[in-house]
Amino acid sequence: MTYIAKPKFQHPGLPKNDLGYTRRDYEGKISTLCAGCGHDSITASIIEACFHLSIEPHRVAKISGIGCSSKTPDYFLGNSHGFNSVHGRMPSVLTGANLANRDLIYLGVSGDGDSASIGFGQFAHSIRRGVNMTYIVENNGVYGLTKGQFSATADRGSKSKKGVTNADSAIDLVAIALQLGATFVARSFSGDKTQLVPMIEAAIKHKGAAFIDVISPCIAFNNHAGSTKSFDYVREHNDAVNRLDVITGREPITVDYAPGTVQVVEQHDGTRLALRKLDADYDVHDRLAAMTFLQKHAAKGQVVTGLLYVDAESEDLHDRLNTVDAPLNTLAAKDLSPGSAALDKINASLR
Amino acid sequence: MSVQSPISSVNDFVIRFANVNGSGSASANELFARSILRMGVPVSPRNIFPSNIQGLPTWYEVRVTEDGHLGARGGVDMMVAMNPQTWDRDVASIEPGGYLFYDSTKPIPASKFREDITVIGVPLTAITNSTYTDPRQRQLFKNIIYLGALSALLEIDPKVIEQLIGEQYKTKEKLLASNVHALHLGRDWALQNLKCPITLTVKKSEKVGDRIFMEGNSAAALGAVYGGATVCAWYPITPSSSVADAFTAHCKKLRHDPETGKAKYAIVQGEDELASIGIVIGASWNGARAFTATSGPGVSLMQEFIGLSYFAEIPAVIMNVQRAGPSTGMPTRTQQCDVIACAYASHGDTKHVLLFPEDPAEAFEFAAQSFDLAERLQTMIFLMLDLDIGMNHRLCRPLKWDESREYDRGKVMTAEMLDDGRDFGRYLDVDGDGIPFRTYPGTHPSKGSFFTRGTSRDRYARYSEDGAVYADNMQRLLRKFETAQDLVPRPLQANAQKPTKYGVIYYGSTSPAMDEAIEILEKRGHHLDRLRIRAFPFHSSVASFVADHDFVYVVEQNRDAQLRSLIVNENGIDPVRLVPILHYDGTPITARFIAGAIGDHQDQLKVTPLKKVKS
Ligand SMILES: Cc1ncc(C[n+]2csc(CCOP(=O)(O)OP(=O)(O)O)c2C)c(N)n1
Ligand code: SF4
Ligand SMILES: [Mg+2]
């Protein structure tokens, strides 16, 4: 396989965002994934979200592990730096990158093998630390790139393409992210762009560890009857608790909602999330209730989607470390080296 | 008493304290060493401690050395036997004519002593218990009381000790007074009841000069502060944890914005070494100077990332404070056993830059320099410390920093350069040194972005599985490694007093023992030229040094002659020409050992024709 160039031509009539960029400015190289792969739909949603938020395309750092899912950062935001690191270690690489420059937007893309198996520890610890990032797991229940072995998110009792039944319990990354203290937790489905796009926008605008589990069917190895990660299964069992609109400006919310059905959450930077409740009892600020809700519905075989938890008062790793406002990678010798007079003092104290 | 006359020496002896871990002896013992230093007499102390927190034996050894021999000497002239558990072997380890100092509160049967040593009993427990009631106080002050008694026996100036106590408890008046009181309790008892001084004494001298007394780990951490490291990620492991502890302490004092109080650094204790090195690589990729500190087991875990750093060309610094391996090995014992593991770390064809500091002063310099090298060469740099220099206080020249020094950030393409139309190929060698340009993420809205990956790609960072493209890149990486040869610290050569056909190569913490061994060997009529290797890749002078001598001894602290293998492998040298001298029992190498091993070989050469040795 070699590099495939994408034509640079842009239609003059393409819609532009506040910064004057078109959607094409947020695209990347042509995808090399299987036609119909759920991951490509997520790529499209990321492009849409960044376009809609009018993010400067080069101010995002895209970091991933290894897997079909982890290849996708090459297929969006072609003007951003990307880092396809090593299997399961996206979270640590992203953490380091974030420490070096707090001014960029960090987008971590991973797979279920990448995050729930080999990188389970790094997933957990990056979330515990409150790294300011959008962490997306493109969850297909299998190892796509190594040809369809069960991953740790495959449901117990689900069948592989070869007919083997999975005997092990599944890891629900959303439930674990909640337990670990993620301040933004959501789940969506690659086939539901209207739900997914605003969710990614909200996550990008969130300060702290924002985690999104996106069920993303693998056409090649996990889209058959007996799979619980197939298009059909997820469509049938999708239980959305809410729908989201992201409002970035100061303008009042004009969308026409039935009274009492909308909850507005204001995030750090003033972005407001208008949540249309589909389940009247669901409270996005109640971490404990969210955990119970998830367990109950999972037991019934339902795939709960939506914004499941958000803490608008969240802090991030830089707050905890009390680092300076300037990105650490901009500090020069004069800021960092204490100088020879200080060293003389140190020498004197060591005699 | 036997016919053996007591060892008699001024300012040249070894005293060893046998203690129980966790009994608070460490600070009293350090006070002992420092008081002698303050009298102008060089000392070289060493901790010998278990991988345990409380209850197991520990030893603290102080070599008092007017001549400034800072390597371990071997043998003990005076044993301060405070640990009943190790009594027998402690007593057995004393040199004939040496001294045994012990707590005589409880009677000890005569069979437990030796005829050929001088035994000095001080009822330490009795003195302590009659003065203090609190159990913790009893434990701590007992140590100060033996220090007081020793000061009388060895003629250490009590004023000097009092002054050191004063500096230690500057703000804690009460503690200061009670420590001084305990000191005099011991001292007075000794003066009244024992024949003072004994035949081992300390006399004021001028041999310390302006040197400082510091641990290598702390010096390396300070080098990281001066060298501009802003991100440190680490996972606790002996003997490297004190690097991160020291970096934290130095940063707290030196790296907070005076106005806002905010930190110009970020330190993360990772969940393991994989995360630590991942954080370092992420931070370096994004343009910060970052490092981790670890030891053998951690380096083993980091392998995959080390290969990524090499192949994707991401700067990074690993401070490897070596301990005896393999596996968990001897976690609290010293070795130079990771030379090969680091030089060729990770799968596939790799080579990495190694720096070998000899003492804290070089640990400081090399640590600071490692960040320049990492960014200039865009690769992993290993700072190869070991437990002996890392965790012991060592006398060394004062640390220096050139006020006008700027950091070498290497080849970084800026937005201006991109706008000027410069061709940016992330893996493009523009000037033949094998080093390409990089851009920091977020540099330019439409130019200079690239996708970093550990898979092969072409000169413009585009994915490629073309064999020729892959090979081209691997060749360039070799060119880059050749460039490194001239950037890393050069080997230092010192020639023998007389022309000689023999040479010796050594590195790292072996230095002081080697210098002393040369003196011993010269007295025996063996003359050797010396080459101290300070970095890998090897400078061309290493090969010429070997070529210039019939035989070259390679002195190392590992079993498998790792540096020797590296020299043979990298320079295509006939292994017969390099004679391994290997010390690997986990104790620091001594001059006695080196001189013995080389001397024996030299003696053999003199009687055996060369041909026979070769066959
Ligand atoms: C250390 C290591 N072990 C194994 C592999 C092989 N490997 C590549 S991708 C992958 C699984 C990817 O699964 P997932 O993260 O779910 O991604 P998907 O392909 O399903 O999107 C494995 C095991 C590897 N690259 N590195
Ligand atoms: S193997 Fe599965 S996950 Fe990978 S690209 Fe194909 S459909 Fe997508
Ligand atoms: Mg998968």
Side-chain angles (χ1 to χ4, degrees), chain A residues 39 69 111-113 138 140-144 151:
Chain A
H39 299 349
S69 36
D112 44 319
E138 308 193 341
N140 53 17
V142 288
Y143 293 178
S151 84

Side-chain angles (χ1 to χ4, degrees), chain A residues 58-59 74 78 81-82 84 93 96-97 106 122 129 322 324-325 329 333 335-337 339-340 343 347 350-351, chain B residues 38 210 213 226 255 262-264 271 275 279 282-283 286-287 399 401 403 407 439 442 444 449-450 452-453 463:
Chain A
H58 71 297
R59 300 300 291 172
D74 208 12
H81 278 61
N84 194 188
V93 175
Y106 291 90
Q122 297 217 336
R129 289 190 186 107
N322 190 31
V324 287
D325 297 341
N329 70 353
D335 309 304
L336 298 176
S337 162
S340 57
L343 197 55
N347 281 325
L350 297 170
R351 285 183 181 124
Chain B
R38 282 287 174 92
D210 70 344
F213 191 56
Y226 274 79
R255 277 278 195 81
K262 289 191 173 185
K264 290 188 265 184
E271 60 271 24
I279 289 170
N286 212 2
L399 309 179
W401 187 257
E403 205 63 18
Y407 300 146
T439 52
H444 193 283
S449 71
F450 66 95
T452 305
R453 41 160 71 92
Y463 183 84

Side-chain angles (χ1 to χ4, degrees), chain A residues 321-332:
Chain A
L321 295 174
N322 190 31
T323 45
V324 287
D325 297 341
L328 293 176
N329 70 353
T330 61
L331 304 180

Side-chain angles (χ1 to χ4, degrees), chain A residues 39 66-70 86-87 89 110-115 118 138-146 149 151 218, chain B residues 304:
Chain A
H39 299 349
I66 297 286
C68 297
S69 36
S70 292
V86 287
H87 196 18
R89 316 297 169 207
S110 179
D112 44 319
D114 209 53
S115 279
I118 191 167
E138 308 193 341
N139 183 357
N140 53 17
V142 288
Y143 293 178
L145 194 59
T146 52
Q149 301 84 356
S151 84
C218 170
Chain B
E304 191 182 12

Side-chain angles (χ1 to χ4, degrees), chain A residues 6 22-28 40-53 75-77 197 200:
Chain A
K6 227 177 192 178
T22 69
R23 282 184 179 74
R24 293 297 306 272
D25 295 313
Y26 294 88
E27 290 176 358
D40 279 336
S41 311
I42 302 173
T43 294
S45 294
I46 292 172
I47 292 170
E48 187 61 30
C50 293
F51 170 76
H52 188 233
L53 284 180
Y75 314 141
F76 58 82
L77 300 183
V197 172
I200 295 172

Side-chain angles (χ1 to χ4, degrees), chain A residues 1-3 21 29 56-59 61-64 70-71 73-74 78-87 89 92-102 104 106 121-122 125-126 129 317 321-325 328-329 331-344 346-351, chain B residues 34 38 210-214 222 225-226 228 230-231 254-255 257 260-272 274-275 278-279 281-283 285-288 304-305 308 314 364 398-401 403 405-407 409 439-454 462-465:
Chain A
M1 189 175 55
T2 46
Y3 164 71
Y21 290 112
K29 303 216 166 86
E56 284 191 280
H58 71 297
R59 300 300 291 172
K62 315 166 288 182
I63 301 171
S64 61
S70 292
K71 287 182 176 187
D74 208 12
N79 284 320
S80 296
H81 278 61
F83 195 163
N84 194 188
S85 64
V86 287
H87 196 18
R89 316 297 169 207
S92 63
V93 175
L94 189 150
T95 301
N98 182 297
L99 290 174
N101 183 358
R102 60 190 302 173
L104 297 183
Y106 291 90
Q122 297 217 336
H125 290 278
S126 65
R129 289 190 186 107
L317 180 57
L321 295 174
N322 190 31
T323 45
V324 287
D325 297 341
L328 293 176
N329 70 353
L331 304 180
K334 65 172 172 30
D335 309 304
L336 298 176
S337 162
S340 57
L343 197 55
D344 291 343
I346 293 170
N347 281 325
S349 74
L350 297 170
R351 285 183 181 124
Chain B
R34 282 183 185 278
R38 282 287 174 92
D210 70 344
R211 280 185 284 181
I212 59 167
F213 191 56
M214 189 179 201
L222 192 61
V225 173
Y226 274 79
T230 51
V231 175
L254 303 166
R255 277 278 195 81
D257 187 297
T260 62
K262 289 191 173 185
K264 290 188 265 184
Y265 62 93
I267 300 169
V268 175
Q269 186 187 314
E271 60 271 24
D272 54 28
L274 297 174
I279 289 170
I281 288 199
W285 172 76
N286 212 2
E304 191 182 12
F305 264 123
L308 179 73
I314 298 161
F364 172 81
L399 309 179
K400 278 213 176 69
W401 187 257
E403 205 63 18
R405 177 165 167 178
E406 289 291 331
Y407 300 146
R409 305 301 312 259
T439 52
Y440 298 146
T443 295
H444 193 283
S446 61
K447 294 173 185 151
S449 71
F450 66 95
F451 201 62
T452 305
R453 41 160 71 92
R462 294 172 302 210
Y463 183 84
S464 169
E465 290 176 10

Side-chain angles (χ1 to χ4, degrees), chain B residues 363-378:
Chain B
F364 172 81
E365 286 157 21
F366 289 6
Q369 193 186 356
S370 66
F371 296 97
D372 281 355
L373 287 169
E375 291 198 318
R376 167 59 48 189
L377 293 163
Q378 299 175 24

